Amino acid sequence: MSSYQHYVDGEWVAGEGTETFESENPATGESLGEFHRATTAEVDRAAAAADAAYETWRAMSRIDRAEYLWDVYHELRERTDELGEIVTKECGKEISEGRADVVEAAHMVEWAAGDARHPKGDVVPSEIAEKDAYMRRKPRGVVGCITPWNFPVAIPFWHVAVALVEGNTVVWKPAEQTPWCGQIVAEMFDDAGIPDGVFNLVQGFGDAGNAIVEHDAVRTVLFTGSAEVGRSIADKLGGEPGKRVACEMGGKNAVVVTEHADLDVAVHAAVMSSFKTTGQRCVSSERLIVHTDVYDEFTSRFVDLAERVAVGDPLDEDTFMGPLIEAKHVEKVTDYNDLARTEGVNVLVDRTDLDAAEIPDGMADGHWVGPFVYEADPDEPLRCTHEEVFGPHVALLEYDGEIERAVEIQNDTEYGLAGSIVSEDYRQLNYYRDYAELGLAYANLPCIGAEVQLPFGGVKKSGNGYPSAREVIEVVTDRTAWTLNNSRDVQMAQGLSADITTRED
């Protein structure tokens, strides 16, 4: 079995810790590799290396910094199929999603590296004709990046690519469930010849992530993951002078299907939103809010597909849903399915325990769960309809009345990440656009599938920033308002006198 190390200050190092952990294929239970587990000492070394490399890195032009990323971009493109298979083996999502994860990473690197040549800054008119005023951005320093397992190649590049182009240095901890993907990303930066200390990888668990968050050298933290962890990070750093954090967290997302919906689109969007990645996307839909006029037909069609959707070997092109990520997540999803029953819902589909015939040959040790679909009262304060499950657990919520009622149900959650509306009525679409409490909204589409050039993040319990694309630039840079006087005389705005008087006057 291969044993992998951390990447710190341009070197592969085992570190001082003696503990290791293994990556597991969630479809088969087989080990994919052994990884050294970081201690505080490895985080200290990585942060010190990033801090030492910062001044030289920031002194380079944005375009020269981006050149390293172009090398990474080409490697991502050349190895898409190979790396897509590795993503699928390590996190369990079906193979088209594995490849899409790598393509999304390439798109993010392309966006960030290409942005290096785009115009930057804002010229701001001054009320004094002889003054020039404009905005400039400066990098903040060491950026700590903590990323999840469900997009183990794409999301790291949301964080890292922009941070590096903007002149920051990076310490990154990938999720402990997908360290092999983290290893390959680090190898790409090593292949590109990134200067020592500019990019650093430490493998490990929450204690390593916490050490990054709390390290004095880390000025900015970018986090994508659970609401509980993200809120803890935000609380910890919120009052720290000079620190900044952007967290993108979970959701209890919904697809609204109005009486004016095209039901072909609605059913397709709902199945994609609910079951892609086995429901393990922060933007997955666990609620379907459906108007009473179309409820029966929509429910019949959705339930029929939920009963038949293909669960199987994620490397098989005909598979729609792969396994859950790990055994303890099977337990969590199963517990929520049981909770829904105890809360009195009407269960329509229960594939929690798949038939033995559905489990692929040789994969009995995988983490298999199928769709679970039920009807519930949207006015009841049920835990199963308000708490994030992060699995193929879907509530059908029937409503009567106008679009305002649908949006009221949509907003009846602590979360505010993603959502979709299916309707042929533009007034309904516009009301939803204006009043749904969301960071990501879609019309006549699934509520998954954001493109990299769009900011990605939520409101309420779902986040406090957008750690991706254009908006992440706000997090990893500081803005300076610069005013230059072109006159030999000093003139002040707002009519403030610039005269200096003395006692003799």
Side-chain angles (χ1 to χ4, degrees):
M1 183 193 304
S2 298
S3 182
Y4 298 101
Q5 300 178 319
H6 314 288
Y7 184 72
V8 177
D9 204 12
E11 296 180 342
W12 296 102
V13 297
E16 297 180 15
T18 59
E19 289 189 50
T20 61
F21 64 103
E22 293 185 10
S23 175
E24 179 189 275
N25 183 327
T28 65
E30 68 176 324
S31 179
L32 299 172
E34 182 181 69
F35 297 82
H36 288 269
R37 179 172 177 172
T39 66
T40 303
E42 282 73 65
V43 174
D44 284 343
R45 181 176 173 185
D51 196 34
Y54 170 61
E55 289 300 332
T56 301
W57 180 248
R58 72 169 292 189
M60 297 171 63
S61 74
R62 299 174 81 252
I63 293 166
D64 284 343
R65 293 193 294 260
E67 285 299 318
Y68 293 97
L69 285 176
W70 282 121
D71 288 345
V72 174
Y73 168 81
H74 290 299
E75 187 168 353
L76 286 165
R77 281 303 201 186
E78 290 161 6
R79 299 176 64 189
T80 295
D81 289 343
E82 172 203 349
L83 299 182
E85 186 171 317
I86 291 172
V87 169
T88 290
K89 285 181 177 178
E90 192 166 45
C91 80
K93 57 187 178 183
E94 55 88 7
I95 188 61
S96 78
E97 293 191 82
R99 288 191 294 265
D101 197 277
V102 181
V103 171
E104 183 175 337
H107 286 173
M108 190 68 250
V109 175
E110 178 183 44
W111 186 91
D115 190 54
R117 290 185 179 270
H118 288 182
K120 293 293 166 186
D122 301 303
V123 175
V124 183
S126 170
E127 66 182 75
I128 307 299
E130 291 81 8
K131 289 182 181 178
D132 292 330
Y134 51 93
M135 302 294 296
R136 299 195 69 214
R137 291 190 179 276
K138 299 175 183 177
R140 302 198 76 242
V142 180
V143 176
C145 301
I146 302 170
T147 58
W149 53 262
N150 58 339
F151 286 82
V153 178
I155 290 180
F157 282 109
W158 291 6
H159 295 192
V160 172
V162 173
L164 292 177
V165 169
E166 293 298 327
N168 303 277
T169 54
V170 165
V171 178
W172 171 45
K173 190 201 86 68
E176 60 268 25
Q177 294 89 344
T178 50
W180 187 15
C181 290
Q183 169 77 19
I184 289 170
V185 170
E187 289 173 358
M188 288 182 177
F189 279 106
D190 192 44
D191 292 344
I194 196 87
D196 295 351
V198 170
F199 170 87
N200 303 273
L201 161 77
V202 291
Q203 299 275 21
F205 290 74
D207 54 341
N210 188 61
I212 292 172
V213 170
E214 294 184 345
H215 202 283
D216 289 342
V218 175
R219 298 288 309 283
T220 305
V221 173
L222 304 179
F223 171 81
T224 301
S226 73
E228 290 69 30
V229 175
R231 193 161 61 247
S232 173
I233 293 171
D235 288 346
K236 187 171 293 187
L237 298 185
E240 286 289 320
K243 294 274 193 175
R244 190 174 297 165
V245 59
C247 298
E248 185 272 297
M249 299 176 278
K252 190 68 172 179
N253 311 299
V255 175
V256 171
V257 180
T258 80
E259 72 274 26
H260 298 299
D262 179 326
L263 289 189
D264 290 339
V265 174
V267 173
H268 194 164
V271 171
M272 291 285 290
S273 299
S274 299
F275 303 132
K276 268 298 175 188
T277 325
T278 319
Q280 297 170 117
R281 293 179 181 229
C282 54
V283 292
S284 293
S285 175
E286 295 181 7
R287 298 180 299 150
L288 305 176
I289 302 166
V290 185
H291 194 277
T292 189
D293 288 356
V294 295
Y295 182 83
D296 289 345
E297 182 181 352
F298 174 87
T299 299
S300 175
R301 293 172 63 176
F302 180 80
V303 164
D304 176 63
L305 283 170
E307 290 277 17
R308 296 185 297 112
V309 70
V311 180
D313 182 352
L315 290 172
D316 187 334
E317 296 283 354
D318 292 328
T319 292
F320 190 80
M321 277 177 52
L324 294 178
I325 184 63
E326 58 191 356
K328 68 179 182 181
H329 196 51
V330 173
E331 182 179 352
K332 175 187 175 182
V333 173
T334 300
D335 285 348
Y336 268 103
N337 293 353
D338 291 341
L339 172 66
R341 294 187 195 92
T342 64
E343 290 189 309
V345 304
N346 180 33
V347 178
L348 303 176
V349 179
D350 187 354
R351 296 172 67 189
T352 305
D353 298 313
L354 293 175
D355 293 337
E358 292 189 81
I359 297 175
D361 291 342
M363 297 186 177
D365 292 332
H367 310 307
W368 302 103
V369 167
F372 183 81
V373 181
Y374 58 93
E375 296 175 300
D377 185 338
D379 292 317
E380 287 292 320
L382 307 178
R383 287 180 56 199
C384 63
T385 57
H386 288 79
E387 297 177 10
E388 183 183 37
V389 178
F390 214 63
H393 172 109
V394 185
L396 282 156
L397 306 172
E398 183 177 1
Y399 79 96
D400 194 6
E402 302 300 326
I403 186 63
E404 290 83 356
R405 172 61 175 149
V407 172
E408 178 185 24
I409 299 169
Q410 148 66 47
N411 292 342
D412 183 27
T413 172
E414 293 181 320
Y415 294 96
L417 185 56
S420 174
I421 178 171
V422 183
S423 174
E424 297 297 301
D425 184 330
Y426 79 91
R427 291 183 177 86
Q428 291 184 330
L429 299 181
N430 287 345
Y431 184 89
Y432 178 92
R433 177 200 64 194
D434 292 344
Y435 291 98
E437 295 169 348
L438 302 168
L440 304 158
Y442 302 83
N444 298 318
L445 285 166
C447 62
I448 61 173
E451 298 176 45
V452 300
Q453 64 271 23
L454 290 167
F456 194 100
V459 298
K460 301 197 294 189
K461 192 177 177 180
S462 291
N464 70 337
Y466 295 78
S468 70
R470 182 186 65 193
E471 298 303 312
V472 80
I473 297 173
E474 296 278 355
V475 185
V476 300
T477 60
D478 289 325
R479 301 171 68 179
T480 302
W482 173 260
T483 304
L484 171 66
N485 181 24
N486 296 305
S487 171
R488 294 186 181 279
D489 297 322
V490 175
Q491 299 180 69
M492 304 302 292
Q494 294 97 38
L496 176 66
S497 172
D499 294 338
I500 297 175
T501 59
T502 66
R503 285 181 296 175
E504 289 76 10
D505 295 335

Coordinates of all heavy atoms in Angstrom, one line a residue, residues 196-239:
D196 N 8.8 27.4 -3.4 CA 8.8 26.7 -2.1 C 8.0 27.6 -1.2 O 8.2 28.8 -1.1 CB 10.2 26.5 -1.5 CG 11.0 25.5 -2.3 OD1 10.4 24.9 -3.2 OD2 12.2 25.4 -2.1
G197 N 7.0 27.0 -0.4 CA 6.3 27.7 0.6 C 5.0 28.4 0.1 O 4.2 28.7 0.9
V198 N 4.9 28.6 -1.2 CA 3.7 29.3 -1.7 C 2.4 28.5 -1.6 O 1.4 29.0 -1.2 CB 3.9 29.7 -3.2 CG1 2.7 30.2 -3.8 CG2 5.0 30.7 -3.3
F199 N 2.6 27.2 -1.8 CA 1.4 26.3 -1.7 C 1.8 25.1 -0.8 O 2.9 24.5 -1.0 CB 1.0 25.7 -3.0 CG 0.0 24.6 -2.9 CD1 -1.3 24.8 -2.9 CD2 0.5 23.2 -2.9 CE1 -2.2 23.8 -2.8 CE2 -0.4 22.2 -2.8 CZ -1.8 22.5 -2.7
N200 N 1.0 24.8 0.3 CA 1.4 23.8 1.2 C 0.1 22.9 1.5 O -1.0 23.5 1.6 CB 1.8 24.4 2.5 CG 3.0 25.3 2.4 OD1 4.2 24.9 2.4 ND2 2.8 26.6 2.2
L201 N 0.4 21.6 1.6 CA -0.7 20.7 1.9 C -0.4 19.9 3.2 O 0.7 19.4 3.4 CB -0.8 19.6 0.8 CG -1.5 18.3 1.1 CD1 -3.0 18.5 1.1 CD2 -1.1 17.2 0.1
V202 N -1.4 19.9 4.1 CA -1.3 19.1 5.3 C -2.5 18.2 5.3 O -3.6 18.6 5.1 CB -1.2 19.9 6.6 CG1 0.1 20.6 6.7 CG2 -2.3 20.9 6.8
Q203 N -2.3 16.9 5.5 CA -3.4 15.9 5.5 C -3.8 15.6 7.0 O -2.9 15.6 7.9 CB -2.9 14.6 4.9 CG -2.5 14.7 3.5 CD -3.7 14.6 2.5 OE1 -4.8 14.8 2.9 NE2 -3.4 14.3 1.3
G204 N -5.1 15.5 7.2 CA -5.4 15.2 8.6 C -6.9 15.4 8.9 O -7.7 15.5 7.9
F205 N -7.2 15.6 10.1 CA -8.6 15.6 10.6 C -8.9 17.0 11.1 O -8.2 18.0 10.9 CB -8.8 14.6 11.7 CG -8.8 13.2 11.2 CD1 -7.6 12.6 10.8 CD2 -10.0 12.5 11.0 CE1 -7.6 11.3 10.3 CE2 -10.0 11.2 10.5 CZ -8.8 10.6 10.1
G206 N -10.0 17.1 11.9 CA -10.4 18.4 12.4 C -9.4 19.2 13.2 O -9.4 20.4 13.2
D207 N -8.6 18.4 13.9 CA -7.6 19.1 14.8 C -6.6 19.9 13.9 O -6.1 21.0 14.3 CB -6.9 18.1 15.7 CG -6.3 16.9 15.0 OD1 -6.6 16.7 13.8 OD2 -5.4 16.3 15.6
A208 N -6.2 19.3 12.8 CA -5.3 20.0 11.9 C -6.0 21.3 11.3 O -5.4 22.3 11.1 CB -4.8 19.1 10.8
G209 N -7.3 21.1 10.9 CA -8.0 22.3 10.4 C -8.1 23.3 11.4 O -8.0 24.5 11.1
N210 N -8.4 23.0 12.7 CA -8.5 24.0 13.8 C -7.1 24.7 14.0 O -7.1 25.9 14.3 CB -8.9 23.3 15.1 CG -9.2 24.3 16.1 OD1 -10.1 25.1 16.0 ND2 -8.5 24.2 17.2
A211 N -6.0 23.9 13.9 CA -4.7 24.5 14.0 C -4.5 25.6 12.9 O -3.8 26.6 13.2 CB -3.6 23.5 14.0
I212 N -5.0 25.3 11.7 CA -4.9 26.3 10.6 C -5.7 27.5 11.0 O -5.2 28.7 10.9 CB -5.3 25.7 9.3 CG1 -4.4 24.6 8.8 CG2 -5.5 26.8 8.2 CD1 -4.8 23.9 7.6
V213 N -6.9 27.3 11.4 CA -7.8 28.4 11.8 C -7.2 29.3 12.8 O -7.3 30.6 12.8 CB -9.2 27.9 12.2 CG1 -10.0 29.0 12.8 CG2 -9.9 27.2 11.0
E214 N -6.6 28.7 13.8 CA -6.1 29.5 15.0 C -4.7 30.0 14.8 O -4.2 30.8 15.7 CB -6.1 28.6 16.2 CG -7.6 28.2 16.7 CD -7.6 27.4 17.9 OE1 -6.5 26.9 18.4 OE2 -8.7 27.3 18.5
H215 N -4.0 29.6 13.8 CA -2.6 30.0 13.6 C -2.4 31.5 13.4 O -3.1 32.1 12.6 CB -1.9 29.3 12.5 CG -0.4 29.2 12.6 ND1 0.4 30.3 12.3 CD2 0.4 28.2 13.0 CE1 1.6 29.9 12.5 NE2 1.7 28.6 12.9
D216 N -1.5 32.1 14.1 CA -1.3 33.6 14.1 C -0.9 34.1 12.7 O -1.2 35.2 12.3 CB -0.2 34.0 15.1 CG -0.7 33.9 16.5 OD1 -1.9 33.8 16.7 OD2 0.2 33.9 17.4
A217 N -0.2 33.2 11.9 CA 0.3 33.6 10.6 C -0.9 33.6 9.5 O -0.7 34.2 8.5 CB 1.4 32.7 10.1
V218 N -1.9 32.9 9.8 CA -3.0 32.8 8.8 C -4.0 34.0 9.0 O -4.6 34.1 10.0 CB -3.8 31.4 9.1 CG1 -5.0 31.3 8.1 CG2 -2.9 30.2 8.8
R219 N -4.0 34.8 7.9 CA -4.8 36.0 8.0 C -6.2 35.8 7.5 O -7.2 36.5 7.9 CB -4.2 37.1 7.1 CG -2.8 37.5 7.5 CD -2.8 38.3 8.7 NE -3.7 39.4 8.6 CZ -3.5 40.6 7.9 NH1 -2.3 40.7 7.3 NH2 -4.4 41.5 7.9
T220 N -6.4 34.8 6.6 CA -7.7 34.6 6.0 C -8.0 33.1 6.0 O -7.1 32.3 5.7 CB -7.8 35.1 4.5 OG1 -7.4 36.4 4.5 CG2 -9.2 34.9 3.9
V221 N -9.3 32.7 6.3 CA -9.7 31.3 6.2 C -10.8 31.2 5.3 O -11.8 32.0 5.3 CB -10.1 30.8 7.6 CG1 -10.7 29.4 7.5 CG2 -8.9 30.8 8.6
L222 N -10.7 30.3 4.3 CA -11.8 29.9 3.4 C -12.2 28.5 3.7 O -11.4 27.6 3.8 CB -11.3 30.0 1.9 CG -10.7 31.3 1.5 CD1 -10.2 31.2 0.0 CD2 -11.7 32.4 1.6
F223 N -13.5 28.4 4.0 CA -14.1 27.1 4.4 C -15.3 26.7 3.7 O -16.2 27.5 3.5 CB -14.4 27.1 5.9 CG -15.2 25.9 6.4 CD1 -14.5 24.8 6.8 CD2 -16.6 25.9 6.5 CE1 -15.2 23.6 7.2 CE2 -17.3 24.8 7.0 CZ -16.6 23.7 7.3
T224 N -15.4 25.5 3.2 CA -16.6 24.9 2.6 C -16.8 23.6 3.4 O -16.0 22.7 3.4 CB -16.4 24.7 1.1 OG1 -16.1 25.9 0.5 CG2 -17.7 24.1 0.6
G225 N -18.0 23.5 3.9 CA -18.3 22.3 4.7 C -19.6 22.4 5.5 O -20.5 23.1 5.1
S226 N -19.7 21.7 6.6 CA -20.9 21.7 7.4 C -21.2 23.0 8.1 O -20.3 23.8 8.4 CB -20.8 20.6 8.4 OG -19.9 20.9 9.5
A227 N -22.5 23.2 8.4 CA -22.9 24.5 9.1 C -22.3 24.5 10.5 O -21.9 25.6 10.9 CB -24.4 24.6 9.1
E228 N -22.2 23.4 11.1 CA -21.7 23.4 12.5 C -20.2 23.8 12.6 O -19.8 24.7 13.4 CB -21.9 22.0 13.1 CG -23.3 21.6 13.4 CD -24.1 21.4 12.1 OE1 -23.5 21.0 11.1 OE2 -25.4 21.6 12.1
V229 N -19.4 23.2 11.7 CA -18.0 23.6 11.7 C -17.8 25.0 11.2 O -17.0 25.8 11.8 CB -17.2 22.6 10.8 CG1 -15.7 23.0 10.7 CG2 -17.3 21.2 11.4
G230 N -18.5 25.4 10.2 CA -18.4 26.7 9.6 C -18.8 27.8 10.6 O -18.1 28.8 10.8
R231 N -19.8 27.6 11.4 CA -20.3 28.5 12.4 C -19.2 28.6 13.5 O -18.9 29.7 14.0 CB -21.6 28.1 12.9 CG -22.3 29.2 13.8 CD -23.8 28.9 13.9 NE -24.1 27.7 14.6 CZ -24.6 26.6 14.0 NH1 -25.0 26.7 12.7 NH2 -24.9 25.5 14.7
S232 N -18.6 27.5 13.9 CA -17.6 27.5 14.9 C -16.4 28.4 14.4 O -15.8 29.2 15.2 CB -17.1 26.1 15.2 OG -16.0 26.1 16.0
I233 N -16.0 28.2 13.2 CA -14.9 29.0 12.6 C -15.2 30.5 12.6 O -14.4 31.3 13.0 CB -14.5 28.5 11.2 CG1 -13.9 27.1 11.3 CG2 -13.5 29.4 10.6 CD1 -13.7 26.4 9.9
A234 N -16.4 30.8 12.1 CA -16.8 32.2 12.0 C -16.9 32.8 13.4 O -16.5 34.0 13.6 CB -18.2 32.3 11.3
D235 N -17.4 32.1 14.4 CA -17.5 32.6 15.8 C -16.1 32.8 16.3 O -15.8 33.8 17.0 CB -18.2 31.6 16.7 CG -19.7 31.6 16.4 OD1 -20.2 32.5 15.7 OD2 -20.4 30.7 16.8
K236 N -15.2 31.9 16.0 CA -13.8 32.0 16.6 C -13.1 33.2 16.0 O -12.3 33.8 16.7 CB -13.1 30.7 16.3 CG -11.7 30.5 16.9 CD -11.2 29.1 16.7 CE -12.1 28.1 17.5 NZ -11.5 26.7 17.4
L237 N -13.2 33.5 14.7 CA -12.4 34.5 14.1 C -13.2 35.8 14.0 O -12.5 36.8 13.6 CB -12.0 34.0 12.7 CG -11.1 32.8 12.6 CD1 -10.7 32.5 11.2 CD2 -9.9 32.9 13.5
G238 N -14.5 35.8 14.2 CA -15.2 37.1 14.0 C -14.7 38.3 14.8 O -14.8 39.4 14.2
G239 N -14.2 38.1 15.9 CA -13.8 39.2 16.7 C -12.3 39.4 16.8 O -11.7 40.2 17.5

